[in-house]
Amino acid sequence: MKQIVGGGPKKVLYTLNTVRRIGLKDSAKALMAKNACKACGLGMGGQQGGMTNEKGEFPSVCNKSIQAQSTDIQLPIPSEVFNHTLADLKELSAQEVERLGRLSKPIYKAENSNKYTEVTWQWAIDHCAEKFKQAQPEKSFFYTSGRSSMEAGYLLQLVARSYGTNNITNCSYYCHQATGVGLASTIGTGTSTVELNDLSLCDTIFIIGANPSSNHPRLIHQLKGIRDRGGKVIIINPAKEPGLVKFAVPKSPKSMMAGGTDIASFYLQPKVGSDLALLKGLAKATIELGFEDSAFIKEYCENYTEFLSDINNTSWQTIETQTGLAKTKIIECAEIYGVSEKAVFAWGMGITHHKNGSDNVEYIANLAILRGMVGKQGAGLLPLRGHSNVQGIGTVGVKPYLPAEMLSALEENMGRKFDLPPGLDTVATLEAAHKGKMDCAMLMGGNLFSASPNSVWTQTAMNRIGFKVYLTTTLNQGHIYGVEDSECLVLPVLARDEEPQATTQESMFNYVRLSDGGISRLDGPLAEVEVLARFAQQLLDVEQWKGYEDNNKIRQDMSLTVPGMKSIADIGNSKVEFHIENRIKHQPEFYTNNKKANFVVCELPDFSPNGFEFLLSSVRSEGQFNSIIYEDTDSYRNNADRYTILMNQLDMQKLGLKANDEIKLESAVGELEKFKVQAFEVAEGGVLGYYPEVNPLISIANDPRSKTPAFKSIPVNISKN
C-alpha cells in the first residue's frame, strides 16, 4: 500500500481552490490583515501581520486558516430559506447548513412554530431581555466558545453574574478542563509553561494523544525544526497517524520536493485509554535507569516518597498488559527522554477525553518534574488548545467559578458583592435542562448540540429549555435540533476581522494578540459586545451599563480585575502584544500552596470489559474544525467518509469483517447502523469513529474532577449488519 503523507501538493491545491471559491481579493484581505487567526490556539496574526506567528516567522498559514475564512466570506442567507420548516432544514447535512451563507438578520422561532421568521434588532433585544427578566437567574445559563473575543467573553460573564447566576460555562469543559485541574494540583497553574520560542530550543518533544497534522498543522513546521537540528519527536497515540509519520511541509520547498519529511523519530501505540499505565511505565523506566533529577526533586518538589512507592508497587506485567506494549519499547522511549536536556510535553484531547483525564495530565506533569523539565527555557508543559481564543475565554472568567483574587477585584471594581450559588459546568447545565430546570440560555458562538455527548439525550435537554438565544455568524445544526418545542432567537454577529473595534485573543502560549477588525462584508450583524451591552441595559440598568459597547472601557476593567492582565489596559493605543504575567516558567517557581511542584499518586483505571469488546475513540478528520465539516472524506485516513469506523485488521478478521462491510455499533446509551468499516493502524481493541457522527454512542459519564466526558474511551460492541 502506498504510504500516505501529510500536507503536500494536494493540500496546497485544496487551499488554492478554497481561495478561488471565496475570491482572491477577499482571501488576501482576510489573511493579510492584522487579525488573529480564527483556527487553532497555536495561532498567527495580530499586530505582526496576518500570516506571521508570535516568533515573527512568515508565512505561517495552514488549511485551517483558509477554511475558517471560507465560512465567514459568504453571501447573506436568502430570506426565502426561512420559508422552509425545521423538518426541511433537517434534510441538510451539517456542511450544507453552514454553507447556506452568513446570517444577516435576527431570526425567531416561537414555541408553537416549526419555522423561523426574520425580526428586527430592536424587537430581538427587547424580547430577549424580557424572557430573562421572567426567568429565575439560577434557572438560566450562559455559554460561549473560543470564537469570541476576550472583551465579549469578559462582558458575558459580567452580565451573567450581575444578573444573578454563576451558571457560566464554555467549550473547554469538552476539551482541556482536565488540563487545568491536573496542572493546578501539580505545578499551580492551568496553562502552558512554555512560549512558542521554547520549541526552537528543546531537543525532545512528546506529542501525546494529539494529531497536529490534522488539527494544528502549523505545529508540524516546529516539529520539523526539532528534527532538522537533530532533536527527537516522540509520538504517543493509539493510532498510527500518517501525517505524524511523514509530512510534506508546504513552507519548506525541500520537504515538498522530497515527498515529505520524517516527523516522528519514535512512535508508541498504546491501547486506547491506557495512557496512565504508559506514563507510569515511562516514569518507572526513567527511575530504574537512574535518569531522575535528584537535586531538582529535593529542592523544588514534594511527595516524591509516596510517588516512588506507588511506582515500585506497579508491576511491569500490569503495565504491559494494560498498554499492550512491551517493556523493552517503553524502556527505549525512556532512554531517549533520559538523555534529553530540554524536553517539552505536548498533549491533546486524547489525554483529557477520559474518565481519568485529570489523572492523565497529572502524570504528564509528574514525568516532567521527575527530570526537572519545568522551570527552564526550552522545556515544559504545552496543552494543545484547539480553538484560537478558548484559553482567553477562561482567562477572563467565563467559567462557573472565579479565583478568589479575581472575584475580590471584580466586586471592588463593580462596587457590589457577587454572593451567588455555585455554578454548573457544561454537562451539569444540560442535566438540569433535561430535568426541566432551565428556563433560559444564552449561547455565544459554538455548537453546543453537536459538541455534546449522547445526541438524542442532548436534543431533548436543549428542547426543554424554554427560551434560547444564540449569537452566531452562520447557522449550524444546534439551531435546528433541540428547538422543536421551545422558543429560539438567533442573532447575527460579526466575525473577528469584521469587528468595528479592535479585539484581543489569547494563544495557547499565553500570548495576547490584538486584532484590528475593520473588514466590511455585509450589513446587519452587530459586534458581540454591542449586543451584550444593549441586552444588559434592557435587563439590568441602562445607566450602569452605558459605555460597555466600548472595548477600551472593557479592557480597562479587565486590567483591574483579571490576574496578570495589567498590560491589556492600553493595548488598543499602544498596539503592544504581550504574554500574561506569571505563566511562562523559565524559572522553577510554582504557585501551589506549598510553593513546590507536587508529585501526585494516581491509581490505574479499571479495565474490566463490562460486556463490551472494544473502546471507541471519537476523532476529527483532516477536513474538519471542531464540529464544522469542510470535506466529506479524510485524505489522511484512506479517504474514509464520515460514516466509516476504523479498526485494527486483526480485530476485523476476528469478527469476519472485510473492508467496506456494513456494521452496527452498540454502546450503553445508543446504537448506530449502516456504518462502514475499514482497516487502519490502530492498537488492537481500539476503534476510531468521526465526531460528531458517533456522538449518539457517547454517554454523559465524565471525569469526576474536570467534568469532561469520556469522548475517547467509549465501550462498544460491533457486529456485521
Side-chain angles (χ1 to χ4, degrees), residues 433-436 438-439 459-466 468 482 486:
H434 199 270
K435 296 173 183 175
M438 282 291 167
D439 293 333
Q459 183 177 352
T460 300
M462 297 292 287
N463 199 27
R464 288 177 179 169
I465 302 168
K468 293 176 290 294
S486 50

Side-chain angles (χ1 to χ4, degrees), residues 95 139 145 216 278 297 373 466 605 635:
Q95 183 185 65
K139 296 181 73 175
S145 74
H216 301 83
L278 175 55
I297 292 169
M373 292 297 177
S635 58

Side-chain angles (χ1 to χ4, degrees), residues 143 171 173-175 353 425-431 434 447-462 618 667 669-670 691-703 707-712 714:
Y143 170 89
C171 57
Y173 277 91
Y174 286 169
C175 53
H353 274 180
D425 60 82
T426 306
V427 168
T429 61
L430 292 177
E431 288 182 296
H434 199 270
N447 182 350
L448 183 57
F449 166 74
S450 293
S452 294
N454 199 342
S455 304
V456 175
W457 179 91
T458 294
Q459 183 177 352
T460 300
M462 297 292 287
S618 65
S667 74
V669 299
Y691 153 99
E693 284 77 6
V694 298
N695 281 9
L697 300 174
I698 304 171
S699 78
I700 61 170
N702 53 66
D703 174 9
K707 310 302 181 184
T708 301
F711 287 99
K712 290 197 173 0
I714 308 113

Side-chain angles (χ1 to χ4, degrees), residues 132-133 135-137 140 142 158-165 539-540:
F132 274 84
K133 283 180 182 178
Q136 299 173 8
S140 69
F142 294 74
L158 188 61
V159 171
R161 290 190 162 93
S162 300
Y163 171 57
T165 185
L539 175 67
L540 300 169

Side-chain angles (χ1 to χ4, degrees), residues 183-199:
L183 293 186
S185 62
T186 50
I187 62 170
T189 188
T191 63
S192 172
T193 69
V194 300
E195 60 183 337
L196 179 58
N197 192 56
D198 285 315
L199 301 188

Side-chain angles (χ1 to χ4, degrees), residues 241-259:
E241 299 289 2
L244 298 182
V245 176
K246 204 174 188 72
F247 197 97
V249 182
K251 190 174 177 178
S252 168
K254 182 178 179 181
S255 177
M256 294 282 282
M257 291 174 63

